[in-house]
Structure formats: structure tokens, C-alpha cells
Amino acid sequence: MQKYLALARAEMLDAIQEKAEVLIWMLIAVIPVFVMSSVWMTNQHQVAVLNLSQLITYYIVAVFLGWITEFWFDEHMGENIRTGGFSRFLLRPLTLPFAFIFQNLGRKMFGIPTFVIPTALIIFLLFKDHLVFPNRAGFLIFTAAALISFGIRFAISVLVASGAFWWEQSSALVHLRWVFEVLAGGYMLPISLYPDWLQFIPRSLPFQFIYYVPVSIWNGAISPRDAIFILPYGLIWLSVLLITSHLMWVKGVKQYSAVGDKG
Amino acid sequence: MIRYLKLYRVIFSLSISRAFIYQQEFITWTIVDTVWGIINIGFFRILLYAIPNLSSWTFTTLAIPLGILYFLNTVIWGFLWPNLSRLPQMINRGELDLYLTKPVNSQFLVSTGFIGLNLIPSVAAGVFLTWYGFKLNHLPPSAILIIHLAVISSSVISYAIWFMTVSLAFWFNRLLNIHHVFPNSVDIARYPVTIFHPAIQFLFTYILPFALLGFLPAEVILGRKSSSSLLLPIVLSAILLYLSHKFWNFSLRRYQSASS
């Protein structure tokens, strides 16, 4: 376990060096909160089953949940495999892709106290009249849903990263992941606002557990009682994705070959 | 000027050759662009299914600014991104020497070396939305001239702001993602500026003029504003282009080569 903590610490030190870049990512992520809040504020009436406060809270919680649960190791995998840079991961005494979780947490250990919490405070002050908070039961169920979201995003990133072992244009798979997260995950719009005939598609896929389900538990669109029946589906999806991604990863690593050193 | 046009013609033909050499890459990214196009149009369709209008813009009228912005999207991702996305890394690694030592304007060289030709779907989406907007709003074909003018001025404004933002990389030791700021912020231009707080409206009209990129020309086409309003983006594009050139030369003084 110590070696994973050392990896997390090394990543945190790296993030400190790149603090200006971390700040830029944060600023970029906040833009949709202000834009979508303005969109809903100009239409101050009940939209489908959500009121204005629920809608504004939806985008704020989605942005913060997105920061906490995101993975990005798959975005560089194509290049690492193409250039042979992936070899340096294999030479370390670490279990992959498990180690990527600690690599990811290391960056968050720096980003959360320095940028995420101050940004959350500013947003809280700006939107405090419109924020909706869950009760204790709702918060506990939200935490469980956020953990499922974290696991699903990890498994999907492993699947996308595994694709890079076979396909040179794997960055297109990363775009595909973004598309599904944004559209079927409910980041762009809550799934309940989609036309009825269209809702069937995102509600049949695991991506709804990334944003829509946890955030709807937070803003009360899904009651804690309903959430108890919905979350087991999320756990089933999580298990299926973890198993599939593990199998794909193992198969992909066997397929990998590199010449020379590229440290 | 003619020299630069000839140079750009050579760069363009090289890009066509590159697209033929890397066919798989070309096809893949064309599909990716198609998917993003469908999502962007789908987003507004669903949004305007949930609410009756967006600050008095219905999907029918919204098709005009969205059409202009799709053409702008082609310029941003096809002509600017392949070049400006490389710039922060070149500055950080001290690789600009290659451009600075050539007998051509360095700003021109770093801004035009690569062209991505896989954005045909974005052009198609722009044509479709413009046609759709013109048809449903019964607009005269002569208004196409305003679309051309809008796309040119919006492209210059976008280029100048983006280029100045990326030039900030000279002022920091490491700012490798600075090129992501503009393409992410330009999404603001997809919404009518009237949805924002009055202070933000001023900011997005005169300082970071996202409001002038698609919605102002669309309002002129729809007869909501007079033709003289178009002077603002035209004059501003010239000023911003000049400022970007000045800022580039000013920032270059901070450049330290990494050669041995």
C-alpha cells in the first residue's frame, strides 16, 4: 500500500508544479454553471418536473461531482502506447490499472483544498438563494451514488485505455466517452427533460449513474426511497464494467510490444 | 500580401496530401465531428422542447446564429486549433526558433502551418441550419452576404482573442493547457447575450465580444437591429487583430530558446 501512497504523493507534487494549469481546468469547468444558470433564470417557471432551484443546483453539483470522479489516464494512453512510453508503467512494481486510481487521487489531494473548495465557496455565495441541499439520508445515499459514479468512470476509462492497445486512433474513443457522459450521463441536460421517447436510451445505459442519478438524489428529483431501488442497478452496471474492463486490459497488455527505451 | 497567399496555397495543398496519407485518421475525426454536430443541434432541440423560448429566440430563429457559429466552428477547429494548440508546448520547449529564423512573419507561420480538413460535417451543419433558418423565417437570399461578413469578422475576432490568450504562455514557466481556454469559452456565444446579467452583457459585447460572433449578425438578418450594427464587429476585428500582432511581438521578447 505504501508504494501507492508514494505514487499519489509524487502526483500531488507534480500537480503543485502545474498549479496554473490546474486552475485553468477548474475555470473551464465552471463556465457551464454560469451559462446554464442564466438560461434557467430567464425562464423562471417550472420545467417538466424540476423547479428553478433544482435546475441550478443540478449544474453546480454536476460540475463538482465531475471534478471529484473524473479520470484522464485514458487520454494519454494512445500516445504512450504508440511511442512505447507505456513500458515505464509496466516496469514499476505497481498493479495496473489499479495504480491509476492513486495517481488520480494524488492530483485531487492538491486540487480539492486549493481550488475546488474555494470555488465551491464562491459559487455558494453567488447562488445561495437557489441552492437545494439533501437531508441526512439523502446525503448518505448521494455519497453511495457518487462512489458508484467514481467506479463507473474508472471502469469506462480503463475500457477506453484498453482500446489504445488495438487502435491507433484511440483518442476518438476518448471523444466517444465524453459524448456519452455529456449526453447519456445527463451532464448537458437532466435526462428527465428529454422527450419521453428519447429517455428510454439514456435510462438503459450505465452513463446515467455518472451524473444524472447522483445529482438528482442531491436536488431531490429522485427521493431517497426511489434511490434505494435504483442504485442496485448502478452496482450491477459497475460490476459488469469492472469485470469487462479488467479482461480487456489484461488482453491488451499481452498484445503490447515496444522497442528500445523511451523513458 | 501575394507572397503570403501563395504560401498559404502551398500549406493548403500539403494538408490535402496529409489527409490522403492518414486516411484512417481523417475518417475517424470526420465521424467524431459529425457526432459532436448532432449533439450540439440536439441540445438546443431538447432545450427548446423543455422551455418555450430562449430569451425570445425559438428554434426557428436560433437556426440563424447557430448556422453562423457552425461555420465559425469550422474555422476554429479546422484552421486555428491545429496550430494554436501546438504553440504553448513550442514556447515551453523552446522550439520556436524554427519559425523565428525564417524570412516570413512569425505570427503568420505559427498560425497557419496546419489545416484540419476533417470538418466537412460542421460545414454541412452550418449550411443546413442557415438554409433551415432562411426558409422558415422567409429571408431574402441577399442576406447571405451578411452571413459571409459575419463569418469573416467572427473568425478574425476569435483568432485574435485566442492568439493573445495563447501568447500568455510566454509569461509563465508552464501553461500547456492555455489553448483550451478560448474554445471552451466560445460556447458562451451559442446563447443570446440577453440571458446574462447586464454587467456580463457589457463584458461579452465589448471586452470579450462573444455576443458579436453569431447573435448580432443574426439579429441584423432578422431585422431586429439595423445594418449599421455590423460595423461594431468589423471595426473590433481589425483592432483585435492589430493588438494580437503587437502582443505577439511584445511577448516574443520573453522567449528563451532551448538550443544548445
Side-chain angles (χ1 to χ4, degrees), chain A residues 17-18 20-22 24-25 28 31 34-36 38-43 45-48 59 167-169 171-172 175-176 178-180 182-183 188-189 193-196 198, chain B residues 22 24-26 28-29 32 35-36 39-40 42-44 46-47 49-55 172 174-178 180-182 184-188 191 194-197:
Chain A
Q17 275 187 321
E18 298 162 12
E21 290 175 22
V22 179
I24 285 174
W25 288 128
I28 288 172
I31 294 170
F34 290 98
V35 173
M36 292 312 292
S38 303
V39 166
W40 300 121
M41 279 176 178
T42 50
N43 291 277
H45 56 268
Q46 183 97 4
V47 178
Y59 285 96
W167 195 30
E168 224 174 86
Q169 295 301 317
S171 48
H175 273 259
L176 207 62
W178 292 339
V179 166
F180 278 106
V182 163
L183 203 66
M188 194 172 72
L189 281 170
L193 298 191
Y194 288 21
D196 292 337
L198 197 63
Chain B
Y22 303 107
Q24 195 194 14
E25 185 181 334
F26 177 77
T28 305
W29 290 105
V32 169
V35 173
W36 279 119
I39 285 178
N40 285 327
F43 167 72
F44 281 100
I46 295 171
L47 183 70
Y49 166 84
I51 54 176
N53 62 63
L54 189 58
S55 194
F172 293 86
R174 194 187 151 101
L175 208 55
L176 298 182
N177 59 352
I178 187 72
H180 285 280
V181 175
F182 181 78
N184 279 283
S185 317
V186 84
D187 274 354
I188 293 165
Y191 301 88
T194 43
I195 66 166
F196 298 108
H197 185 275

Side-chain angles (χ1 to χ4, degrees), chain A residues 11 36 44 53 71 90-91 107 126 128 176 179-180 186 189 200 208 230 244 263:
Chain A
E11 275 299 312
M36 292 312 292
Q44 297 213 4
S53 296
F71 285 90
L90 294 177
L91 293 171
R107 291 204 158 246
L126 287 173
K128 63 177 187 294
L176 207 62
V179 166
F180 278 106
L189 281 170
F200 162 74
Q208 60 169 322
I230 295 171
T244 317

Side-chain angles (χ1 to χ4, degrees), chain A residues 136-155:
Chain A
R136 193 178 295 174
F139 187 77
L140 281 174
I141 295 170
F142 166 78
T143 309
L147 286 170
I148 293 173
S149 165
F150 185 79
I152 287 179
R153 289 190 89 177
F154 171 70

Side-chain angles (χ1 to χ4, degrees), chain A residues 36-111:
Chain A
M36 292 312 292
S37 301
S38 303
V39 166
W40 300 121
M41 279 176 178
T42 50
N43 291 277
Q44 297 213 4
H45 56 268
Q46 183 97 4
V47 178
V49 288
L50 301 171
N51 60 38
L52 181 64
S53 296
Q54 282 179 313
L55 280 165
I56 291 174
T57 305
Y58 186 93
Y59 285 96
I60 293 170
V61 178
V63 163
F64 286 99
L65 184 70
W67 275 339
I68 291 164
T69 58
E70 77 172 327
F71 285 90
W72 48 81
F73 61 88
D74 53 346
E75 292 171 25
H76 311 288
M77 193 57 79
E79 197 188 338
N80 278 330
I81 289 172
R82 206 169 43 246
T83 60
F86 181 65
S87 304
R88 71 173 188 268
F89 290 102
L90 294 177
L91 293 171
R92 290 178 190 168
L94 299 166
T95 307
L96 292 173
F98 179 65
F100 291 132
I101 295 178
F102 286 86
Q103 198 181 35
N104 182 286
L105 289 178
R107 291 204 158 246
K108 283 168 186 165
M109 271 156 52
F110 168 70

